[in-house]
Amino acid sequence: FCAEQGQPLAVYAAFCALTDVLGGPWRLWPAEVRRPDGDGVARFAADDPERVGFHQWLQWLVDAQLAAAGQDRRVGLMHDVAIGADVRGADAWMWQDYLALDMRVGAPPDDFNTLGQDWGFPPFDPWQLRSARYEPFRRIVQAGMRHAGGLRFDHVMGLFRLFWIPEGEGPTAGTYVRYPWSDLLDILALESHRARAYVVGEDLGTVEDFMRNELSARAVLSYRLLWFEPSPPESYPVEALAAITTHDLPTVAGLWTGADLRSQEELGLAPNVAATTAVRDRLKAWLQADDETPPDQVAEGAYGLLAEAPSAILAATLEDALAVEERPNMPGTIDQWPNWCLPLPLSLEAIETDPRVEAVAKKLNNRGASPTTQGGQGGRTKRRARTAR
């Protein structure tokens, strides 16, 4: 495994070992180890091979577990590639020459987050990325597709443009920076064919029309959410992943009971009440529900609607099936909300036999559309390279 992964694994393991000893952030480390090519890095690895080897071993364990979990190639595991990485982490240390370290990526104000968003990580410098012949991007995609049936590319519009915010400023001070999107999409398509994996592009938020056209030309599946679509799921496109919500948006129960709006108000996040009310009104009309309808029944009905979508992939969440009111992640918060740390209300064993979970699963399994896209099928090739289908 170490021989196959080569220098990138060795450098990553050295970073982890250095962090064990020096702590963080790496920008405060001694000058000789502040860069991956520093004289002190090789000397440290030679002096403490067991510590470095331990972190290589951990990566081997993770790789073996992913390989075992991805054996079902009918759909396979869908891995996720984030649009960026923490400035204190290994990615930023390894690729610091290609990043704009004094900038942060985020999003301008929109209907669902009126204050805008600062995601806190640095963007790739498009010129430096191109001068590196896109090696960092290629390695990210290859790693994401390893042992995967498919790859969800977070904030796929970031391949076209990213919203840069100067360090120390807020989202209102940001601006969009363009990227060499044609090259990046072609690399994504090429690696998709090599891995025989489909690609889902999270094309949510502010999306220019030509972006969706270019993604469609390469058979990148779109992302359609009931929360954002004014029409019922039966009208969604075939080449898409369809879902009710995401980790960043209200759960069905949170929206239905008003708990999510109350949480946003308590956190001072200036929620868009009108947009939330519009989604709730659509659900009422489509499900013929009223204010007294229990949240778990609303969730089951919503997934019944989703089952009518002809889209290639349908996705459900355990939070919806279990009528959880709190969303997993609240954009715009750091310490005020337990992002990614909220436990589900039941144990795994109880979830496996919970009738609400079974009801949602039955709704989706009884869908009338054709079977889910096969991860192992090759894609068509037309004017441009296309991702595997």
Side-chain angles (χ1 to χ4, degrees):
F1 175 74
C2 291
E4 177 192 56
Q5 296 299 308
Q7 185 68 6
L9 175 62
V11 172
Y12 171 79
F15 173 86
C16 294
L18 282 163
T19 302
D20 289 344
V21 175
L22 300 174
W26 60 264
R27 295 169 89 175
L28 300 180
W29 287 355
E32 63 268 20
V33 293
R34 209 174 293 156
R35 296 179 52 84
D37 56 359
D39 294 339
V41 177
R43 189 164 55 250
F44 173 85
D47 290 344
D48 199 348
E50 288 192 3
R51 188 184 295 272
V52 175
F54 172 72
H55 287 286
Q56 291 173 309
W57 175 71
L58 290 179
Q59 290 301 302
W60 173 68
L61 289 180
V62 171
D63 187 77
Q65 292 171 7
L66 286 175
Q71 288 300 308
D72 177 13
R73 294 294 291 176
R74 191 174 72 85
V75 177
L77 284 178
M78 186 189 302
H79 293 183
D80 186 272
V81 170
I83 194 63
D86 196 307
V87 71
R88 298 164 297 183
D91 299 68
W93 179 73
M94 293 168 65
W95 295 328
Q96 57 190 272
D97 292 340
Y98 311 123
L99 292 163
L101 294 174
D102 56 348
M103 294 287 173
R104 297 292 180 266
V105 174
D110 58 25
D111 286 345
F112 276 81
N113 197 316
T114 56
L115 300 179
Q117 299 179 53
D118 180 350
W119 300 332
F121 56 79
F124 277 113
D125 181 315
W127 293 102
Q128 295 295 341
L129 192 60
R130 192 175 185 181
S131 71
R133 300 176 68 85
Y134 305 108
E135 181 182 1
F137 177 77
R138 179 172 53 83
R139 289 192 180 278
I140 290 169
V141 172
Q142 287 175 342
M145 290 181 174
R146 184 175 171 87
H147 309 310
L151 184 69
R152 174 189 175 276
F153 209 98
D154 182 52
H155 194 71
V156 74
M157 298 88 71
L159 300 181
F160 296 82
R161 66 179 188 179
L162 278 176
F163 193 71
W164 286 26
I165 304 168
E167 189 171 11
E169 300 287 345
T172 56
T175 190
Y176 278 108
V177 174
R178 294 282 182 183
Y179 281 75
W181 54 266
S182 184
D183 291 350
L184 296 174
L185 286 180
D186 286 345
I187 292 170
L188 186 61
L190 175 62
E191 296 300 337
S192 165
H193 276 279
R194 286 174 171 169
R196 303 186 69 78
Y198 58 87
V199 177
V200 177
E202 192 212 21
D203 54 344
L204 305 175
T206 306
V207 188
E208 296 174 278
D209 289 340
F210 92 94
M211 294 181 184
R212 284 205 173 100
N213 293 337
E214 291 296 336
L215 292 168
S216 177
R218 292 165 176 82
V220 174
L221 299 182
S222 182
Y223 211 96
R224 298 303 169 100
L225 298 181
L226 185 143
W227 270 194
F228 291 156
E229 299 294 327
S231 301
E234 62 185 14
S235 66
Y236 295 175
V238 172
E239 292 193 345
L241 178 150
I244 302 294
T245 184
T246 74
H247 51 268
D248 290 332
L249 294 170
T251 64
V252 171
L255 177 134
W256 193 252
T257 63
D260 188 82
L261 271 181
R262 291 192 294 272
S263 294
Q264 291 186 66
E265 290 167 352
E266 291 169 1
L267 294 169
L269 295 178
N272 190 320
V273 178
T276 303
T277 302
V279 175
R280 199 172 186 277
D281 289 344
R282 288 202 299 271
L283 272 182
K284 279 186 174 181
W286 292 344
L287 298 176
Q288 297 183 342
D290 57 37
D291 292 338
E292 303 304 316
T293 306
D296 53 349
Q297 290 185 23
V298 176
E300 182 181 344
Y303 280 98
L305 290 173
L306 188 69
E308 298 300 319
S311 303
I313 300 173
L314 305 184
T317 73
L318 287 173
E319 285 84 2
D320 281 344
L322 297 172
V324 175
E325 292 184 343
E326 299 87 2
R327 62 171 91 183
N329 182 58
M330 185 73 78
T333 65
I334 298 176
D335 299 323
Q336 310 99 301
W337 189 264
N339 292 316
W340 309 113
C341 298
L342 285 160
L344 291 170
L346 299 177
S347 67
L348 175 60
E349 292 76 13
I351 289 172
E352 290 176 336
T353 58
D354 190 279
R356 297 168 297 178
V357 176
E358 183 178 357
V360 168
K362 283 184 176 179
K363 291 289 185 182
L364 297 184
N365 285 338
N366 292 333
R367 64 180 297 188
S370 58
T372 303
T373 298
Q374 303 292 307
Q377 295 177 343
R380 299 190 298 270
T381 301
K382 290 188 177 180
R383 179 171 56 90
R384 295 182 176 89
R386 298 165 64 86
T387 66
R389 305 280 297 276

